[in-house]
Amino acid sequence: MKSPLLSLPGAVPAEGADEGVAAHYGDLFREQRALADGTGFVDLSHRGVVAVTGSDRLSWLHLLLTQHVSDLPAGQATEALILSANGHVEHALYLVDDGTTTWAHVEPGTQDALLAYLESMKFFYRVEVADRTGDLAVVHLPAGSIAEVPEGVVVRETSYGRDLFLPRADLESFAGGAGEDGVKHGPAVGLLAYEALRVEQHRPRLGFETDHRTIPHELGWIGSAVHLQKGCYRGQETVARVQNLGKPPRRLVFLHLDGSEVHLPPHGTELRLADEGAEGRKIGFITTSVRHHELGPIALALVKRNVSLDARLTADGTAAAQEVVVEP
């Protein structure tokens, strides 16, 4: 679904999973600084939007999700996962309930599979699920933004900003508008700036930091998206076993990359121990790499749990120094 904001001056389309919105609007670092300063907004209208209604919606979702949501207060944001029977991450949902409907935004293109699973689990519960991607667009306002939210718009507020479930028909007017008090939300900011701050904040993303065998412990999702004291859900046995008896096989790390290199190592680039040279053992891979306005080239990566914390790493010849995100 192509965003109308791609017609804004300077807009350069994003590619891959983020196709349909702008990667940037002509000045990547200016856009990053705007977000970091609490101004601007990010067009996330390519993300899927799912709505769950009905009197049983929270108790029903509580049975399916990794998060404790049976008593979720109206207006309180949370995150949750859906796991496979073996405990591997299949879906990531970013949730808020408005008192009558539970809203979630999800990775682009994943809503169809998510809805199919939810429909298959309805049984006798009084719930209805719907794909609202066609009429609602997700827009992100950064932490510190004082911009007015249009009346009637559902808001998901977190420590790193507010996600608005904006009527898609209002997207263009929102891009040029101001609140009732005249406070503008600032310029449109592209996905590259948003991703740079996400990497800086060590926030994993489904399909980027995950693969077919990712379990929640590897990415630090325990607590933020996985509640350890709730009832049963699919994949819980794996979560409990790793939590109580062992360690995950891999761990998420934050990398500072050699700033002298012109090209960023793309997703999937193999990580090796620098001391073993170009033919050394593969010990992990780059998940997301970005250029940050203050930190320079940085990345998130998955590495084997037993990789030494002070080990020097290379990504296709680019030197990389690691910082701990998930403890070994």
Side-chain angles (χ1 to χ4, degrees), residues 17-209:
D18 291 320
E19 183 179 1
V21 296
H24 62 84
Y25 295 90
D27 192 335
L28 173 60
F29 290 154
R30 177 189 62 79
E31 294 169 34
Q32 282 188 35
R33 287 191 289 269
L35 277 191
D37 291 340
T39 61
F41 73 97
V42 185
D43 176 11
L44 299 177
S45 62
H46 62 319
R47 292 185 64 82
V49 176
V50 173
V52 183
T53 55
S55 57
D56 292 339
R57 67 188 184 283
L58 290 177
S59 58
W60 176 68
L61 286 169
H62 186 80
L63 298 173
L64 305 178
L65 305 180
T66 57
Q67 187 59 273
H68 196 300
V69 297
S70 59
D71 302 312
L72 185 67
Q76 180 175 310
T78 192
E79 301 176 17
L81 308 175
I82 290 177
L83 307 181
S84 73
N86 293 323
H88 300 137
V89 178
E90 291 190 343
H91 293 281
L93 296 80
Y94 300 85
L95 299 154
V96 68
D97 191 90
D98 66 5
T100 60
T101 302
T102 302
W103 301 93
H105 66 78
V106 298
E107 285 299 321
T110 65
Q111 63 268 22
D112 288 348
L114 173 60
L115 261 74
Y117 172 69
L118 294 178
E119 286 285 354
S120 74
M121 300 300 291
K122 284 170 61 174
F123 302 117
F124 56 85
Y125 291 94
R126 293 166 292 182
V127 294
E128 295 295 332
V129 296
D131 182 357
R132 298 292 302 275
T133 310
D135 59 299
L136 291 175
V138 180
V139 171
H140 177 77
L141 296 173
S145 172
I146 60 173
E148 289 285 324
V149 174
E151 186 176 355
V153 169
V154 175
V155 178
R156 180 179 176 274
E157 186 162 0
T158 71
S159 60
Y160 53 85
R162 290 175 287 170
D163 297 333
L164 315 184
F165 292 82
L166 185 75
R168 191 170 290 273
D170 296 342
L171 192 54
E172 286 186 274
S173 61
F174 177 85
E180 294 179 1
D181 59 359
V183 177
K184 290 185 177 293
H185 43 57
V189 172
L191 252 295
L192 291 180
Y194 180 82
E195 285 288 278
L197 298 192
R198 178 181 72 82
V199 171
E200 178 192 14
Q201 295 158 355
H202 307 165
R203 292 190 287 122
R205 183 177 172 188
L206 183 79
F208 288 68
E209 278 62 58

